[in-house]
Amino acid sequence: MRWTILMVGCACAASACTPTRDDVPPPTHPPTAAAPPPAAFEIRVPPDFERDAAESERVALQAVYGKTNKGLCKALVARDGEKAKAAFVPDFRGRAAAAQPGEAAQVGRLSVAGYAVEPAPVDVDAFVARALGWVQDLARVDACKIKPYRFKLAADHGWAWAELSVHVDGVTTDGRRITRRTKWLAEYARQGEGDDARYLLRRAESRPVQQVAAPQGAFTDVSRWVGVTEPHDEATRATLVRERDGGDIETIGGLAVVDWNDDGFDDLLAWNRLRFFSLFQNDGHGGFEARHDLLPLEAVGTVQAVVDLDGDGKAEIVSGRVSACTDGDKGSFPIFGRRGDALVEVSSLPVSIPCGGHGGVLYQTIVPHDVDGDGDLDLFVGGFGVETPWGDFNKFDSSDGEANLLFINQGGLRFTEEAAARGLDGTRFTYAAAFADLDGDGRDDLLVVNDYGPNEVFVGRPRGRFQRASLPPLTGYGQSMGVTVADLDDDGALDIYVSNMQSSAGNRIVPLFEGQLRPETYEGLMRMAAGNTLFRRRADGTFEEAAEPLGLAGANWAWGQAITDLDNDGFREVYVLNGETSHSTEKENDF
């Protein structure tokens, strides 16, 4: 198995790519005069810039992104060069990517190529012509975004500097899907005053461009054809779409693939917190029969664990929602077991949450693992917080979340909660966790990834005990949502992939306060907005953060992920789910 690296450097510079031959005789004609050096080209960064984050963001999003960059994208998609020039001042100068990519490398089914950056500055006509080249071969453009990733507005508001993330996605006439991505360093000049002001591009320099081409139609959505659909009528679904597009809906859940009826065919379990829990049973002929009545809606949490807890060969379902009250005044996680074609509650995991407040508490992960080494599975349950976690607490370094829980299996579907007694005393806003030997001592440790603070490592000790440890860089900040432990580079050692929020707004705003914050605080805030992280294991057993992690950082507001060979070409792919999408309608593609 090989690991696909989809982020490549540009093709070599023009001079480095020119073949040479020692047997070519020298020219007999007089040498021509050397070309004069290119005119001075500079993209300035304001030494004195606007420190008010709200005002800086207003200009970045309204006058730059809204009025200039979106207009440029719209003109490019329309193939209208004259309208595209409206985003530039007349005396614009820029360094553009080459007109043609370098030699492509075949990576499984993908073709990956890079565009070098030409050294000589060009005028607006040539720069726009190169930009139009990004869309000329596309029969359909699905996305064009030129968005400020870093931004500094001069103190007098007369000009600004930006680092722009630039990408175009679409489909060619021969059916290939093309993605082109790069960054521009740019300088803008203000035109106009007051609410009519806009900022036009005065200077721009492209970074090397990455182009990925993939066959069209590798996957086709057949869910409605085979019977895998949400249990909503059309009116309800239309309401959900309206609420989602308006930003007023929270829809979170999960998916599990299991052989529910032991017939040799994979079935699907799908759920959405408090909305539905569905079984899609494989009929063996390419279709699925749906059932939506297996669990009461009030018992459907963000996460459900589908795991055999009593060793009888059939999985139980543990709900991550505290939805029942036992022992007088305490809540519990219900455990459901198979009884014929039905699910019935067969046990529960009691927690010290008073009845009445239990319904507002979120738990985001349940991780089965044999913690005490007795041969049966125990359950680590990651505590998050309340349903509205944007209240009054420290969003940078919070320990105000729900306590993590550890349920030790006593047999017969009976469990005791022993997190604090065994050293797993975390109270951060936990999203995910993974057991693995992180320090190379032969015992499993626990990596806990958190929102609103740094991640945590609990190293394993004898007899199923743990001890909190600092294990950089694993214990850094990240606003982390998911984690996968696997050998990603086939060197025999485990690597760790963590999905984090990548925030353009964070990357614009935090640098405005550089020098005003403690270095460790500044670094932590930047890490929280940086995106996904890949940690590689060194030969000495320690971990290092991969620079530009194989092209994986830019997945927007990343949550869960799956790492597998999706197309059976011998290369692994990473599929990342996103939340908090900024797309305006359901028709726009996600990542």
Side-chain angles (χ1 to χ4, degrees):
M1 182 66 74
R2 296 159 289 171
W3 171 241
T4 304
I5 299 178
L6 294 182
M7 175 62 78
V8 298
C10 73
C12 46
S15 61
C17 290
T18 303
T20 60
R21 291 181 54 190
D22 295 335
D23 57 345
V24 175
T28 58
H29 56 274
T32 57
F41 181 84
E42 179 186 10
I43 296 177
R44 301 173 299 163
V45 180
D48 186 16
F49 52 88
E50 176 63 69
R51 298 278 183 171
D52 184 284
E55 181 62 15
S56 181
E57 281 290 274
R58 184 190 68 80
V59 174
L61 296 180
Q62 295 180 15
V64 173
Y65 181 55
K67 292 183 178 180
T68 298
N69 294 8
K70 281 188 174 181
L72 175 56
C73 259
K74 186 175 181 180
L76 293 177
V77 172
R79 279 79 165 176
D80 191 330
E82 289 304 312
K83 282 190 177 179
K85 293 177 189 177
F88 302 81
V89 298
D91 63 346
F92 167 86
R93 301 285 286 172
R95 286 197 178 106
Q100 298 296 327
E103 184 177 353
Q106 200 67 27
V107 185
R109 293 164 57 89
L110 304 179
S111 176
V112 183
Y115 291 73
V117 177
E118 296 184 341
V122 298
D123 62 15
V124 63
D125 292 321
F127 197 90
V128 168
R130 294 293 169 80
L132 283 170
W134 280 35
V135 298
Q136 294 290 13
D137 61 340
L138 300 181
R140 185 184 79 235
V141 179
D142 292 325
C144 176
K145 295 290 176 69
I146 305 175
K147 191 170 184 179
Y149 189 73
R150 303 281 175 89
F151 187 77
K152 287 186 177 180
L153 174 65
D156 64 2
H157 291 206
W159 59 289
W161 168 90
E163 179 182 310
L164 307 172
S165 60
V166 184
H167 81 262
V168 170
D169 300 331
V171 178
T172 62
T173 54
D174 61 358
R176 293 178 303 148
R177 174 164 291 282
I178 298 287
T179 297
R180 296 183 173 107
R181 296 179 185 272
T182 189
K183 288 183 178 180
W184 292 354
L185 297 182
E187 181 183 322
Y188 290 84
R190 186 181 67 191
Q191 309 289 307
E193 300 294 334
D195 293 339
D196 295 329
R198 60 183 304 190
Y199 288 73
L200 303 184
L201 285 156
R202 179 181 174 275
R203 294 284 185 270
E205 179 176 5
S206 176
R207 291 295 187 239
V209 177
Q210 178 203 50
Q211 173 180 287
V212 178
Q216 172 76 340
F219 290 92
T220 302
D221 181 5
V222 299
S223 54
R224 291 184 177 275
W225 302 342
V226 300
V228 180
T229 58
E230 298 173 351
H232 302 310
D233 58 32
E234 286 304 313
T236 302
R237 185 174 184 277
T239 299
L240 291 173
V241 169
R242 247 190 343 268
E243 291 177 351
R244 183 195 60 199
D245 290 345
D248 297 326
I249 188 172
E250 178 193 72
T251 172
I252 49 179
L255 177 72
V257 180
V258 298
D259 184 359
W260 181 259
N261 56 351
D262 301 316
D263 64 354
F265 295 101
D266 286 334
D267 310 304
L268 301 175
L269 291 172
W271 61 89
N272 191 294
R273 187 169 68 94
L274 299 180
R275 289 203 173 94
F276 66 82
F277 183 92
S278 301
L279 165 67
F280 299 99
Q281 193 161 293
N282 196 327
D283 64 9
H285 302 287
F288 293 82
E289 299 176 0
R291 288 189 60 184
H292 307 302
D293 60 348
L294 288 172
L295 285 183
L297 296 184
E298 62 271 16
V300 181
T302 303
V303 60
Q304 267 68 231
V306 184
V307 59
D308 183 5
L309 294 173
D310 55 6
D312 67 352
K314 292 186 179 296
E316 282 74 41
I317 294 178
V318 184
S319 173
R321 179 170 175 79
V322 184
S323 56
C325 287
T326 59
D327 298 335
D329 64 346
K330 294 181 181 178
S332 66
F333 300 104
I335 300 175
F336 297 91
R338 294 279 302 278
R339 295 295 184 268
D341 291 333
L343 278 174
V344 299
E345 186 171 344
V346 293
S347 188
S348 62
L349 307 174
V351 292
S352 298
I353 298 176
C355 289
H358 65 280
V361 177
L362 289 178
Y363 291 86
Q364 305 280 18
T365 187
I366 302 175
V367 185
H369 188 75
D370 184 5
V371 170
D372 54 4
D374 64 354
D376 55 23
L377 290 173
D378 311 300
L379 298 172
F380 173 82
V381 181
F384 187 75
V386 297
E387 289 187 359
T388 54
W390 43 84
D392 185 16
F393 65 92
N394 188 332
K395 305 300 192 299
F396 174 65
D397 192 3
S398 177
S399 296
D400 299 331
E402 286 298 317
N404 293 331
L405 306 171
L406 178 65
F407 293 96
I408 299 298
N409 196 332
Q410 305 297 334
L413 296 178
R414 295 176 296 107
F415 295 80
T416 55
E417 201 289 300
E418 302 181 19
R422 291 180 178 266
L424 298 178
D425 55 348
T427 57
R428 294 190 182 275
F429 286 79
T430 296
Y431 260 116
F435 286 93
D437 182 6
L438 302 176
D439 58 4
D441 67 353
R443 287 187 290 263
D444 282 336
D445 313 302
L446 179 64
L447 172 61
V448 178
V449 301
N450 302 310
D451 206 357
Y452 305 122
N455 297 328
E456 299 168 289
V457 166
F458 298 88
V459 296
R461 292 291 180 252
R463 298 183 299 279
R465 266 60 178 176
F466 295 85
Q467 181 178 345
R468 184 190 299 273
S470 176
L471 200 63
L474 300 181
T475 47
Y477 286 83
Q479 289 209 327
S480 304
M481 311 286 182
V483 59
T484 296
V485 179
D487 180 8
L488 299 179
D489 52 10
D490 294 322
D491 64 352
L494 291 178
D495 309 301
I496 299 173
Y497 172 84
V498 179
S499 58
N500 304 304
M501 180 186 73
Q502 185 190 44
S503 170
S504 295
N507 278 277
R508 290 192 303 267
I509 292 171
V510 175
L512 302 181
F513 300 95
E514 187 174 8
Q516 303 178 44
L517 301 170
R518 291 182 300 176
E520 60 270 23
T521 300
Y522 180 81
E523 180 183 354
L525 288 169
M526 290 301 296
R527 285 295 310 125
M528 293 176 82
N532 298 332
T533 310
L534 176 67
F535 301 103
R536 282 172 156 165
R537 195 157 207 164
R538 299 187 183 103
D540 64 1
T542 62
F543 287 89
E544 64 179 351
E545 181 178 344
E548 294 289 337
L550 307 186
L552 298 171
N556 286 6
W557 205 307
W559 291 61
Q561 71 273 334
I563 300 178
T564 187
D565 182 4
L566 293 171
D567 52 6
N568 298 317
D569 65 352
F571 293 85
R572 295 187 184 101
E573 286 75 45
V574 179
Y575 180 65
V576 183
L577 296 176
N578 294 301
E580 303 293 343
T581 175
S582 59
H583 296 163
S584 58
T585 73
E586 67 171 333
K587 294 181 180 179
E588 292 197 51
N589 291 330
D590 221 341
F591 291 90

